Amino acid sequence: MAYIGNQSDNTSWGGAEVEDYFALLKPRVMSLVIFTAIVGLLIAPGTLHPLLAFVAILCIAIGAGASGALNMWYDADIDAVMSRTINRPIPAGRVTRQEALGFGLVLSFFSVAILGLVTNWVAAGLLAFTIFFYAVIYTMWLKRWTPQNIVIGGAAGAFPPMIGWAAVTGTVTIESTILFLITFLWTPPHFWALALYKKGDYEQAGIPMLPNVAGERNTQHQILIYTLVLAAISVAPTLLGFASLAYGFVAGGLSAAFTFYAVKLWLQKDNVALKKAARQLFAFSLIYLFVVYLVLLADVSVANYFGGIGA
């Protein structure tokens, strides 16, 4: 596989707007980070002053954005040849690579330092590790060299609820680990479905996504396997006793629907039908993760409310 070299650091067009720097933060990814971190923070046992909780979520969001900026700094070369990324600030010439690098490093430092000062250093350490894992282990090292890049990179995206939990408790527990695993196991079928119908983009960029390296059929197998494991983990909060049967039924129903789409994709052999099924799975996966976390938050909040009244 040919390696595509990074763009020259000496290229500069200037004229960046605030919106361009905001785009470096990958706001769509950041919105998922914020939501899952809030869930982790709110369902954790214990309390955190509302102002400190707001600052903690802000730090987690900015840390995630810093990871995105560092990712765009390093991946400017491949972003320039992919249809879905060609209009990002660096390949479009609105921000230089040096500016993106400096922006990402400054945000990384301050988000970790402030989180440690306002909550605890366990949460700050997790945030620092998440930024390092995404920017260095995933982006700089493994993304271009292994078809398991999404599995590895998904770990970074799965840490926010654990960080939110640690911001309140100062610990990592089985409950926060389950929250991590839900997002971690959701990531491969979500992104491999995208990779199936954006296969040409990844081929052009020279990124070894699973469909390009191992083939579409192997990707269909992997998606189904991860979906089945995710279905089991999604009901673990009920089995472990920190969510009710109502949550378990909803999570089980959503997982059944997710599995339906994964099986539907697995059955496809015609290229057009396969891409259509991949799009359907990708679209449903977005709904799935949001609703699972939302229902878990509502379930634990209601239980805590009535538990407080009973006390």
Side-chain angles (χ1 to χ4, degrees):
M1 182 191 72
Y3 178 84
I4 302 176
N6 288 323
Q7 290 179 351
S8 170
D9 285 336
N10 296 321
T11 304
S12 175
W13 294 272
E17 303 289 342
V18 173
E19 293 82 0
D20 296 319
Y21 283 98
F22 183 67
L24 287 176
L25 304 179
K26 294 190 175 182
R28 284 190 293 182
V29 175
M30 189 191 293
S31 64
L32 176 62
V33 166
I34 293 171
F35 177 64
T36 58
I38 288 174
V39 173
L41 186 146
L42 292 180
I43 71 174
T47 58
L48 195 63
H49 188 281
L51 179 59
L52 297 183
F54 172 78
V55 173
I57 295 299
L58 182 62
C59 287
I60 296 169
I62 291 174
S67 299
L70 294 172
N71 173 268
M72 288 197 197
W73 157 71
Y74 193 79
D75 279 352
D77 59 329
I78 59 178
D79 283 349
V81 297
M82 295 179 65
S83 62
R84 72 182 183 89
T85 58
I86 195 170
N87 289 319
R88 284 177 172 175
I90 299 176
R94 300 188 300 273
V95 176
T96 68
R97 294 187 68 238
Q98 302 99 309
E99 290 168 340
L101 174 61
F103 187 55
L105 291 175
V106 169
L107 292 183
S108 297
F109 174 80
F110 282 104
S111 62
V112 171
I114 294 172
L115 182 62
L117 291 171
V118 302
T119 60
N120 59 76
W121 293 104
V122 173
L126 286 171
L127 179 60
F129 177 75
T130 300
I131 296 171
F132 173 81
F133 193 94
Y134 186 77
V136 178
I137 303 298
Y138 168 64
T139 300
M140 298 182 191
W141 181 21
L142 298 175
K143 180 177 181 178
R144 305 183 189 218
W145 302 112
T146 171
Q148 293 298 312
N149 46 26
I150 286 302
V151 178
I152 299 160
F159 275 112
M162 181 180 282
I163 300 171
W165 182 286
V168 177
T169 66
T171 61
V172 174
T173 65
I174 184 63
E175 292 89 349
S176 64
T177 302
I178 293 298
L179 297 179
F180 168 88
L181 287 174
I182 289 173
T183 307
F184 175 73
L185 293 168
W186 165 87
T187 302
H190 169 73
F191 278 104
W192 282 335
L194 174 67
L196 280 171
Y197 69 84
K198 289 287 186 179
K199 184 180 176 183
D201 271 4
Y202 292 108
E203 285 178 348
Q204 186 174 358
I207 301 175
M209 292 295 286
L210 193 64
N212 304 83
V213 175
E216 294 175 343
R217 192 58 186 160
N218 184 275
T219 304
Q220 291 168 280
H221 291 323
Q222 294 286 332
I223 287 174
L224 183 58
I225 291 169
Y226 271 93
T227 301
L228 292 173
V229 178
L230 172 62
I233 292 296
S234 70
V235 297
T238 295
L239 299 177
L240 293 172
F242 68 96
S244 70
L245 281 174
Y247 163 80
F249 280 122
V250 174
L254 287 167
S255 295
F258 202 142
T259 303
F260 167 79
Y261 284 110
V263 170
K264 182 179 179 181
L265 174 61
W266 182 75
L267 292 172
Q268 304 306 321
K269 295 180 180 177
D270 174 74
N271 186 58
V272 174
L274 184 147
K275 290 183 182 297
K276 181 180 178 181
R279 284 179 178 270
Q280 291 174 338
L281 176 61
F282 178 78
F284 181 78
S285 68
L286 293 170
I287 299 170
Y288 173 88
L289 191 68
F290 174 77
V291 176
V292 164
Y293 272 103
L294 185 64
V295 172
L296 180 60
L297 174 60
D299 183 81
V300 174
S301 298
V302 168
N304 289 340
Y305 174 78
F306 285 105
I309 292 177

